[in-house]
Amino acid sequence: MKLVVSVNHTEEIRPCLENGADEVILAVHGHSFTALKKTAPGDLPDNERVGLLVNQLYFPSEMDSMHKLLDEIGNRSFSSVYFADPAVAAYVRNKSLCRKLIYRPDTLVTSSKDAGWWMNRGISGVTVSPLLTLEEIRKIVGHQKHLELIIHGYTLVSASRRKLVQAYLNRNVDETDGLSIREESRDSHMPVYETEEGTLVYSDQIQQSFAYVREFAESGVDRLYIEGVFMGTEELLDTVHLYRTILEKDHPETELDEYKNKYKHRNLGEGYYGEKTIL
Amino acid sequence: MERKRSCRKIELLAPAGDLYRCKTAIRFGADAVYIGGQQFSLRSRASNFTLQDIREACEFAREYGSRIHVTVNIIPHEEDYDGLAEYLKELEDAGVTAIIAASPAIMDIARKNAPGLEIHCSTQLSVTNAEAAAYLSDTLGIDRVVLARECTMDDVRAITASCPVETEAFIHGGMCVNYSGRCTLSNKMTLRDANRGGCAQSCRWYYHLYHNEEELTQEDLFTMGSKDLCAAEYIYDFIEAGVSSLKIEGRMKSEYYVASIVSAYRNLIDEIEETGTRLSEERMQYHLRQILRGENRQTYPGFYPGRAGRESLILHQNSDLDVNHDFLGVVKQYRDGVMTLECRNVISEQEMIEVLAPGKLQKEFPVEWIRDENQEYMSSCRKPMTRIQIPVPFEVHENDIIRRNYHDRRKDQR
Ligand code: SF4
C-alpha cells in the first residue's frame, strides 16, 4: 500500500517523502483539471517517486499537445500518470507507460465491475469515486484489487468549461486564488477556482479518514491519496505525517488530537462515508 | 480501422417520458425516440416504461419506420447490476435498437448478453475527441458516441471526420453547466445522486460569491444555471459534418413540448435536406420561431459557436418568467365539423388558434363558440383537462394539438 499526496510546488516533494509519503503527485500545466498549482512540462523533475496528474479532457485542437506530453513522459522515470480521458489510454496502449496509468474520472467509478473493466486494459490502478459510503468501499475493495481511495482533502464538486465567475461579474477575474461561494441558506464556503479552461468548485468540507485508513490499508487498497489542493506546505506535511503515524502506530491518539487541535479552524468531515446518496 | 458510417439520413432523436409522448414524438416526425426503463436509467422520475410499454413502443415505432433507444445510463454501484443481463436480453427481444450507456461494465454485459443491441456511449462519459471514441469502439464495440455538450462546432466537425463510429450531438433542451457525469453539486447539497438520476439542479440555486473575506455578490446572487440549448442554426453544419444523429433533450417534458419541438426540427431538417443548402436568414428565422414556440426557457446555441460565455448563462432570478401558455389542448374526437378538445390552458371565444398535426401545414381559425360536454355554452374554459367542444372549419384528428396562434400570442404580449 502506498500513501500518495498531491502537492502544489516541486519544493514540497522532498519534505513530503521525508514525512511519510510514498509517492508525490504534481499537476502538469495545460494538462491537469485541478486547482493545484501546475508545473510546466519542461520543469517536471525526473523522479521515480513522482507521479503526474494528466486528467483533463482533451478537445481536438489539444491532441497534439497530449501526444507530445505522453511521448516526453514515456521516456522519463515517473511513478504514475493519472488520466480521465480514454484518449490517453488509447495513445499509450502497447507502450510501457500504459502500466503506469491510473484511471481517475472523478465520479465515474462506483463499482468493482467498472474498476475491473479498466484494470483489464493493462493499467496500474483506478481511483474510485469519493461518493461512496464505507459499506460500498468495503464491498468494492473486497472484489477488486489495485484501487485507490481519496482519503483526505477538498473533493471536486463540479467542473465547468465555462468561466462562471467571469460571466457573472462581467469582467476578467484576476483573483484565481481565494474565490468561494456560499449557498444562500448555509454558512459554509465552497472554494472556487477559475482559469481559461473553466471553473472548478470544491467541497466545503475537507474529507478526512483518520478512523478508517488502517482498515483500508489492511483490506488491500493499493493507494491512499491525500489531495493537497488549497493546502499550505505546513498543513500538507502535518497531514502526511499524521496518516503515516496512524498507519504505523497502534495508538496514535496524541498525534491525532494535536492535529485536530491545530486545525480546528478547518472544516473537517467524513464526506459520504456515512451518508448514502439516493436517487 | 474501417470507418463505420450509417447510410441513413441524419436521425432526429427525440425524448419521451411515457408511452403517450413516445407515440407523439414518432407521429410528429422523430426517426428515433429514447426512453428510460424503470431500472438502470438516469432521470428516474422520467423513466417509467415497463417492459410491456417498451415492447409496445417498439411495435409502434416499427409501423412508422422509427427506432427505440433505451437509456441504461446510470453509473452503477455494486448492487445496481442485479438483473441487468436479463433486462438487456429482454430489451433485445422487445425490438429495441440501441441502449445508451455510460458504464463500461454495463456496455460489456450488453455486448455479451444482448449482441443484437447497438451500444451508444452516453454523454455522461464526456467524449471530446475521436481517439477516445476509437478506444471505446475497439475495447467495447460501441456503435455510436454521444459527444460532450462542451464541444464546439469545430470540435464536432473534427471528431466526426475521424471517428470510427457514428456521432450523435445534442441540438436542443436542458444543458448541464458542468461536464456531465462529473458534477456532484446535487449530491453535496441534497444527497441526491446526479449520476443515478436524482439531480436537484443545485447549479441553479443562489449563492453568495466571495474573494477571501470580500463579498463580490452583485444585485442578483451568483448562480450557475445554463440556458437551454437551441442549435437550430447549426443543423446544416451537423449534416455537412456527417453527424449521424441529432438529439433533443427532455424526457421530463410535456407532450406539447415533444410535439412542437420535434415537428419544428423535422420541418427544418427536411427543408435543409431537400434544398441541400444553408437556409436563407428569413427561412431560418421562420423555423426558429416555430422551435421556440415549444419553449418556455431561454435558449442559446451552447458551445457550438465557440466558447459559451455570459450570454449562455441564466444570471438573473427572473429569467424564466415568460411562461408559455400556447398549448391549449389535445383533440380527442372530431365529428361533423366539431372537435372535442381536452384543455390544457385558458382558451376563449374569438381568439385565433391553430392546429399542429404531424406532417401538415399549420392551419389557423377563430374560436367561434365553446361549449362543455353538457352542451352548455361558455365564453372561455379555464380548467385544465376539461373536455370542451369547438367548431373547426376543416377536418382534424385525434391527438392533433391545438395551440394559440403565433400572431395572436404576440398581440397579447405587446
Ligand atoms: S447540478 Fe446542474 S450541472 Fe450538476 S448535474 Fe445537476 S443540472 Fe447538471
Side-chain angles (χ1 to χ4, degrees), chain B residues 4 95 129 146 210 258 276 339:
Chain B
K4 182 179 170 190
N129 61 71
V146 187
Y210 298 87
V258 170
M339 67 175 173

Side-chain angles (χ1 to χ4, degrees), chain A residues 279, chain B residues 35-44 47 49 51 54 70-91 99-103 106 109 195-197 251:
Chain A
L279 299 185
Chain B
I35 61 178
Q38 288 174 325
Q39 291 165 285
F40 310 113
S41 172
L42 285 187
R43 292 217 175 276
S44 42
S47 305
F49 280 77
L51 272 164
I54 294 174
V70 175
T71 54
V72 188
N73 54 351
I74 51 166
I75 305 297
H77 287 229
E78 217 58 14
E79 69 276 13
D80 290 332
Y81 291 91
D82 292 348
L84 176 65
E86 296 73 23
Y87 176 69
L88 293 168
K89 265 188 246 157
E90 302 223 53
L91 294 184
I99 59 157
I100 304 165
S103 146
I106 289 181
I109 292 168
N195 281 348
R196 286 191 289 169
R251 280 192 288 139

Side-chain angles (χ1 to χ4, degrees), chain A residues 6-55:
Chain A
S6 61
V7 299
N8 286 292
H9 306 283
T10 50
E11 300 79 52
E12 290 170 333
I13 297 172
R14 219 171 117 194
C16 277
L17 293 173
E18 286 168 0
N19 274 275
D22 297 299
E23 195 177 317
V24 176
I25 307 302
L26 287 174
V28 186
H29 187 73
H31 299 270
S32 303
F33 223 29
T34 174
L36 283 172
K37 300 269 181 290
K38 321 284 187 308
T39 305
D43 296 335
L44 293 170
D46 254 356
N47 188 328
E48 284 184 356
R49 293 174 73 186
V50 169
L52 305 177
L53 196 59
V54 183
N55 67 334

Side-chain angles (χ1 to χ4, degrees), chain A residues 65-135:
Chain A
S65 144
M66 181 197 89
H67 296 158
K68 190 166 167 247
L69 179 79
L70 294 174
D71 287 342
E72 261 173 52
I73 294 172
N75 295 325
R76 294 173 59 185
S77 47
F78 295 105
S79 54
S80 55
V81 176
Y82 286 85
F83 77 103
D85 192 328
V88 171
Y91 191 69
V92 303
R93 222 171 165 184
N94 305 323
K95 296 180 187 166
S96 59
L97 189 56
C98 183
R99 291 192 296 278
K100 294 185 180 175
L101 291 187
I102 295 173
Y103 184 49
R104 164 74 72 89
D106 299 322
T107 56
L108 295 183
V109 177
T110 49
S111 71
S112 58
K113 284 194 172 62
D114 271 326
W117 186 86
W118 278 101
M119 289 309 302
N120 287 338
R121 311 277 76 75
I123 65 174
S124 94
V126 173
T127 310
V128 301
S129 163
L131 296 177
L132 299 185
T133 62
L134 274 177
E135 272 316 303

Side-chain angles (χ1 to χ4, degrees), chain A residues 158, chain B residues 175-178 183-186 194 199-204:
Chain A
S158 67
Chain B
M175 194 164 170
C176 277
V177 77
N178 295 313
C183 177
T184 64
L185 259 178
S186 165
C199 180
Q201 304 215 321
S202 310
C203 59
R204 290 172 180 256

